[in-house]
Amino acid sequence: MRAHRRTLCRGPYGGEGERPDETDCADPAVFEIARYDRPPLRVCPVHLGPSLLMAGAVLWPPEITLIGRP
């Protein structure tokens, strides 16, 4: 789990759109959400719910993996 502690949150939209490298959140990612035909989305606890609703290609039912501790 330690290697993922440096990974920043990509939520709630998954770092997609006009500026894919920029997100509004600087918190470390704690969860990984599986997506269809895209890389997994790594998010903090605050953006877990919004990411399930708003990020593109999220599998349903969602597949969520714990990758770190807050």
Side-chain angles (χ1 to χ4, degrees):
M1 281 193 221
R2 187 173 236 178
H4 293 287
R5 293 294 291 161
R6 294 184 201 105
T7 303
L8 294 179
C9 175
R10 303 295 296 170
Y13 301 105
E16 297 165 349
E18 293 179 9
R19 299 180 183 178
D21 294 332
E22 296 181 19
T23 63
D24 293 336
C25 186
D27 292 338
V30 178
F31 300 101
E32 188 173 84
I33 303 169
R35 301 193 294 171
Y36 177 76
D37 211 22
R38 293 187 187 175
L41 178 58
R42 294 181 176 140
V43 296
C44 69
V46 171
H47 287 117
L48 178 61
S51 295
L52 291 173
L53 296 173
M54 294 186 284
V58 173
L59 298 176
W60 202 261
E63 295 179 16
I64 304 167
T65 305
L66 179 66
I67 60 169
R69 286 182 251 164

